[in-house]
Amino acid sequence: GDFLLMATTDRDAILGYEALRATLARLSGRAALRNLTGGPFGAVAKTLHRAHEAIMTEAKRRTPVRWGILRASGHVEPPVIEGSAIVSHGGFGGPAAPYAVFVHEDLSARHATGAAKFYESALLEAIPTLEGRLGEALSVELQRVVAKG
């Protein structure tokens, strides 16, 4: 099971879409905008990665545990640019825990520790504040880039 967190210029994903689009269009020729180690995209990527790590930590707390393999398989990869989006991939499973999707999706299973939908529920709870944090990080960094001229 792989879940994605995305920061994108999609008008449903970011408040102030028109202002953001105009600013990005004006600054689009600058190399710093495509750099995930600095500049506006770097600020969003860093914020997205931190948020995804926090979601993963909470998801691991909720993960059913029998031997601990499933919980240990939870991971977050560094953000990458895919088209017009900054994407953070993460998930549970892999060769050590190929059963992850079954444990995650089985709502009828009863676990001594944890529950089904451990990753999804942590992600859904984080979404209401995620947009604001990403927007703030981008706004601060864009203001810095614009001030530099």
Side-chain angles (χ1 to χ4, degrees):
D2 203 29
F3 287 81
L4 303 177
L5 289 179
M6 297 177 69
T8 178
T9 54
D10 183 314
R11 68 178 73 244
D12 294 328
I14 295 180
L15 297 175
Y17 169 77
E18 292 303 328
L20 172 64
R21 190 174 64 127
T23 303
L24 289 175
R26 191 172 75 252
L27 299 173
S28 65
R30 298 188 186 179
L33 285 177
R34 302 292 297 171
N35 180 355
L36 284 182
T37 60
F41 286 121
V44 172
K46 182 186 287 186
T47 303
L48 183 64
H49 190 69
R50 285 184 188 149
H52 200 172
E53 288 286 358
I55 291 165
M56 180 57 68
T57 297
E58 179 58 25
K60 285 181 177 185
R61 191 186 67 71
R62 298 174 183 196
T63 302
V65 176
R66 188 176 211 169
W67 300 288
I69 297 168
L70 178 58
R71 181 179 282 172
S73 76
H75 65 282
V76 174
E77 297 172 17
V80 294
I81 293 177
E82 293 182 4
S84 63
I86 299 172
V87 182
S88 179
H89 294 272
F92 288 83
Y99 53 87
V101 69
F102 301 107
V103 176
H104 189 268
E105 298 300 318
D106 187 354
L107 298 175
S108 65
R110 299 293 169 243
H111 305 281
T113 304
K117 300 290 187 177
F118 47 92
Y119 195 14
E120 182 180 339
S121 64
L123 174 61
L124 291 174
E125 286 178 18
I127 286 174
T129 62
L130 183 60
E131 182 177 301
R133 288 186 283 165
L134 293 171
E136 178 64 24
L138 182 58
S139 176
V140 167
E141 191 58 31
L142 283 174
Q143 288 172 14
R144 189 184 71 71
V145 170
V146 170
K148 281 181 147 178

